[in-house]
Amino acid sequence: MLDLSDKLPFAQGYNRLCYEHPLDSARCLKIVRPENIAARAQRQSRLKQLLGTHRLNDNTQEIIAHNQRAIRGLLAKGHENLVWAHLPRFYGSVQTSLGEANESELICRANGSVAPTLETLMQDHGLTPELETGIREFLDWLKQTRILTRNLLPHNLVVTDRIGRTQLFLVDGLGAPTIPRALAPVPGWSSHYIDRKIDRFRKRLAWEQDSKGLSWEDFQRLR
């Protein structure tokens, strides 16, 4: 068991906390916040509650996402470098003093600091040409690999310069809901699904840069 009792998370979202691995600084540990699973479950309909809380466990869903058809197929063909070109390498689950964690590569910058999110960089510097180039490369990778994701959000993408140019990595939001995942083998369907996610992502980037005072929901309706 890995002891995290004296550690503080270097990042946190609504559903998970992220810690640096105590024995390997090149890896991170994602730990679910159980109190938020309970809160989310209470807000759902009685029918959805009957389906159980495993659907709300981001670590469980991340493991399922890494086992999706596209990733399995690419790895089976020896295309590991392609899979991990924009995804942190994933090492499965491990027990810690704070509960079970998902272990993955910690994406850092060339100077060794933890890579910032795309959201943070856009807030600080706007959508620079370097970021635009990195975004295009990431979206081209999605189209090439047909790896399924949920809605692409700037705070779920981190940006690194560790190989001398801008790269984006998806650190959260991998995978798709049950029905889209089941339809993945249908010819042409995954490409259509990914195109929709990319279109929505472009709208999100436009909103993040200039919302004109509109909520995200209202902004989408106007586009």
Side-chain angles (χ1 to χ4, degrees):
M1 180 182 293
L2 298 171
D3 185 12
L4 300 178
S5 58
D6 62 343
K7 304 293 182 182
L8 293 175
F10 67 82
Q12 62 182 54
Y14 181 75
N15 299 321
R16 294 191 288 187
L17 302 173
C18 298
Y19 293 83
E20 183 179 302
H21 195 297
L23 304 179
D24 188 344
S25 61
R27 298 188 181 192
C28 75
L29 301 169
K30 298 177 182 178
I31 297 178
V32 170
R33 304 172 73 167
E35 70 277 9
N36 289 346
I37 291 180
R40 290 164 67 191
Q42 289 179 353
R43 294 195 297 269
Q44 293 196 321
S45 67
R46 181 59 59 88
L47 177 60
K48 288 186 176 181
Q49 288 178 1
L50 292 175
L51 297 176
T53 59
H54 68 282
R55 299 173 302 105
L56 306 178
N57 185 314
D58 282 16
N59 277 1
T60 300
Q61 294 305 311
E62 188 172 61
I63 291 171
I64 293 172
H66 275 93
N67 196 44
Q68 65 175 273
R69 177 186 178 90
I71 292 179
R72 290 199 322 269
L74 289 167
L75 292 177
K77 294 176 181 177
H79 299 314
E80 289 192 11
N81 289 340
L82 180 59
V83 170
W84 308 122
H86 295 281
L87 284 178
R89 290 181 178 271
F90 187 67
Y91 304 106
S93 61
V94 63
Q95 289 295 329
T96 79
S97 57
L98 298 179
E100 193 169 51
N102 277 3
E103 182 177 351
S104 62
E105 177 186 11
L106 176 57
I107 305 299
C108 292
R109 303 183 70 181
N111 64 10
S113 63
V114 176
T117 66
L118 176 60
E119 179 182 61
T120 296
L121 291 181
M122 288 175 55
Q123 289 172 349
D124 292 345
H125 308 291
L127 195 54
T128 64
E130 292 79 13
L131 285 178
E132 273 284 14
T133 299
I135 289 169
R136 284 197 299 272
E137 181 182 298
F138 169 72
L139 297 180
D140 287 345
W141 169 83
L142 276 182
K143 292 179 181 180
Q144 178 186 3
T145 61
R146 293 189 293 177
I147 290 174
L148 302 184
T149 73
R150 295 179 185 268
N151 290 331
L152 297 166
L153 300 171
H155 64 264
N156 286 339
L157 288 154
V158 299
V159 183
T160 178
D161 59 351
R162 65 187 187 183
I163 63 169
R165 60 182 174 82
T166 300
Q167 283 182 295
L168 270 65
F169 281 80
L170 184 69
V171 296
D172 201 3
L174 181 66
T178 302
I179 293 177
R181 190 168 66 243
L183 291 172
V186 177
W189 187 89
S190 59
S191 294
H192 173 68
Y193 177 87
I194 289 166
D195 285 342
R196 286 170 45 213
K197 293 300 178 185
I198 289 174
D199 181 61
R200 181 184 174 92
F201 179 55
R202 283 294 185 186
K203 291 178 182 177
R204 181 73 185 208
L205 292 178
W207 178 77
E208 295 269 358
Q209 293 173 87
D210 186 10
S211 68
K212 302 186 188 311
L214 297 171
S215 69
W216 169 230
E217 290 72 19
D218 289 341
F219 186 84
Q220 291 181 89
R221 283 194 285 269
L222 293 176
R223 296 293 288 241

